[in-house]
Amino acid sequence: MSLLTPQRRRERPSSVPLPPRSQLRSRLPVLRIGAADREVLWLYLLTRVGIWTVAYCTRWVFPDDGKARHAGSFFSSWQRWDWWHYLHIAQSGYFPDGTGPWTPDWDNREAFFPGFPFLLRAVRTVVPSWSASGALISFVAGGVAVLALARIARLHLPQEGAGPRAVLFFLLSPCAVFLAAGYTEALFLAFALPAWLAAQRLNWPLAAVLACLATTVRVSGLFLAGALVVHFLVTARTPAHWRRLPWLALPALPPLLHSWYLQVHTGDWMAWKHAEERGWYRDFHAPWEAWKNTWHAAFGHSQSTGYALMSQAELLTMLIGLVLCGVLLRQRRWAEAAYIAVSLWALGTSYWYTSIPRATLLWWPMWTGLAAWSLRSPRVRTAYLAVVAPLMTVFAVTFLSGRWAG
């Protein structure tokens, strides 16, 4: 049996009904926290301590003012880049005081979906600090995400310790710093991974509702919805199964409502996409053109060294994604391969590659695949911890010091 193939489970005969208590537990597996889950949460807490320690040191070693004699505020290191877009949306909405894309120096905030800013505003009514609210959302959402990732790994891999192994690789990945920031990765995964877990258990209403929540956070939720449709088609066997198909249209509702809202204010149904094009060069280019432009940025001495290094990381991550997609296709894991393929297409058809390393946080098949590989070959875990994991500190310091270049 391949380590990446879901193990067969012995099914209880349909003639033997489940006792009420067992039936309740089978319907609500997410609410039970077992010993394996506690191990995962302990690992999560330890890495949070580590990342916040790095943040504390960074604001002393790399203050915004090189001559400062006092470090920045406690959350100052996290107030970077995309955070300001989410904060401004939460504070004043998408088009405050009649401003918009027609306004000079517009920040293109309509490119960001409303799920995270909406939740940020809600939490802010209880927590007195915007930055603390964002950190709290990511902290709680990250805990949910790692629990779901561990359970997905345990569902696919029969070996003991598969869940913590997948979570370890995930939390020590180079871009894991974004899970602690006031960004959307943790919140998206807190919906997307349980949605995938529900789909694996053929609980399509729950999977659709969770995927719907994921699409309020990131457009990547539509990629997840596509993967759910593929998984549904692969597993559909009975008329009762097919009657649940309409549920899978639910994740399309939030993007449609967001597009309608933007159209009312701008006259443009694709305002969010056009904002991405204006602000981040995400206009369509053929994949080979995007590769060529990124290669030139990485090795053509046309960019500063920081941007060149990030372009090199973009190229490497694209190659990793293509290999991952090929492995999934070879193993006939069609739904997960579709998810990775659509993600790569969306990220690989801009003027140049942007944010592909960050996107790896959303590629759960990579973390379960690494866990499977390391369980077959223990040296994989050693190599990862020795070579890849230290890059997390490099990326974290770069981001927290405000020197992030991509």
Side-chain angles (χ1 to χ4, degrees):
M1 180 188 297
S2 170
L3 291 179
L4 294 183
T5 303
Q7 55 181 322
R8 297 182 181 273
R9 295 192 171 189
R10 183 182 302 170
E11 296 183 357
R12 181 186 297 266
S14 57
S15 59
V16 181
L18 286 171
R21 182 175 299 179
S22 300
Q23 190 172 13
L24 178 61
R25 289 179 179 177
S26 70
R27 291 177 180 175
L28 299 175
V30 177
L31 301 181
R32 301 200 309 272
I33 302 296
D37 295 321
R38 288 193 291 271
E39 181 181 353
V40 167
L41 289 176
W42 176 243
L43 177 60
Y44 178 67
L45 290 174
L46 286 177
T47 57
R48 298 313 88 190
V49 171
I51 199 68
W52 279 93
T53 300
V54 172
Y56 174 83
C57 296
T58 300
R59 64 190 179 94
W60 284 88
V61 178
F62 300 104
D64 293 333
D65 180 1
K67 297 181 180 180
R69 296 181 179 273
H70 299 278
S73 64
F74 184 76
F75 291 105
S76 60
S77 296
W78 300 100
Q79 297 169 346
R80 307 289 184 190
W81 315 113
D82 291 357
W83 161 254
W84 296 112
H85 294 286
Y86 302 127
L87 177 63
H88 294 157
I89 295 169
Q91 288 178 328
S92 56
Y94 281 96
F95 308 106
D97 301 322
T99 57
W102 51 87
T103 305
D105 299 323
W106 177 242
D107 61 7
N108 300 306
R109 67 181 67 180
E110 66 271 27
F112 298 88
F113 277 40
F116 184 85
F118 180 84
L119 183 58
L120 179 63
R121 187 179 182 90
V123 174
R124 175 61 176 77
T125 61
V126 179
V127 179
S129 165
W130 287 104
S131 298
S133 298
L136 179 61
I137 292 170
S138 291
F139 177 76
V140 174
V144 174
V146 297
L147 282 177
L149 177 61
R151 294 181 181 192
I152 290 172
R154 293 201 299 269
L155 192 64
H156 282 273
L157 305 174
Q159 288 88 343
E160 186 177 354
R165 186 70 61 95
V167 169
L168 176 69
F169 291 144
F170 172 65
L171 292 176
L172 296 183
S173 62
C175 285
V177 62
F178 293 107
L179 297 171
Y183 277 39
T184 57
E185 278 79 4
L187 184 61
F188 175 81
L189 289 171
F191 296 133
L193 295 182
W196 183 251
L197 192 60
Q200 295 296 292
R201 293 166 174 161
L202 305 184
N203 188 341
W204 296 108
L206 179 59
V209 169
L210 290 169
C212 179
L213 293 172
T215 56
T216 69
V217 180
R218 295 175 67 99
V219 71
S220 309
L222 293 176
F223 310 157
L224 170 67
L228 293 179
V229 171
V230 174
H231 186 60
F232 182 93
L233 296 176
V234 169
T235 58
R237 295 291 183 272
T238 65
H241 193 139
W242 281 99
R243 283 195 292 270
R244 295 183 176 90
L245 180 60
W247 278 100
L248 297 182
L250 188 61
L253 184 59
L256 286 174
L257 291 176
H258 184 54
S259 295
W260 172 77
Y261 172 82
L262 297 179
Q263 192 276 336
V264 169
H265 288 82
T266 67
D268 181 5
W269 281 96
M270 296 297 292
W272 64 270
K273 181 65 170 64
H274 296 149
E276 287 189 343
E277 295 174 359
R278 290 192 305 269
W280 294 272
Y281 303 102
R282 290 192 181 274
D283 50 327
F284 179 80
H285 287 261
W288 50 89
E289 292 179 355
W291 175 274
K292 183 181 70 173
N293 293 335
T294 309
W295 183 275
H296 181 69
F299 302 108
H301 306 290
S302 61
Q303 303 290 328
S304 64
T305 56
Y307 279 100
L309 178 61
M310 288 309 306
S311 295
Q312 294 170 26
E314 301 278 356
L315 292 169
L316 176 61
T317 312
M318 172 59 76
L319 292 175
I320 292 172
L322 291 172
V323 170
L324 173 63
C325 189
V327 170
L328 293 171
L329 288 172
R330 185 172 179 270
Q331 296 171 346
R332 298 184 179 183
R333 293 169 62 178
W334 309 118
E336 291 159 301
Y339 176 77
I340 300 299
V342 175
S343 300
L344 291 175
W345 177 263
L347 294 166
T349 53
S350 301
Y351 176 78
W352 50 30
Y353 300 159
T354 305
S355 299
I356 302 181
R358 277 177 60 185
T360 60
L361 293 172
L362 314 183
W363 297 353
W364 74 85
M366 183 165 71
W367 309 118
T368 57
L370 279 172
W373 189 13
S374 70
L375 289 168
R376 290 197 305 268
S377 177
R379 290 183 178 180
V380 171
R381 180 175 180 270
T382 302
Y384 189 93
L385 295 178
V387 178
V388 179
L391 293 177
M392 185 191 72
T393 304
V394 175
F395 275 59
V397 171
T398 304
F399 171 78
L400 294 167
S401 63
R403 290 162 174 79
W404 187 258

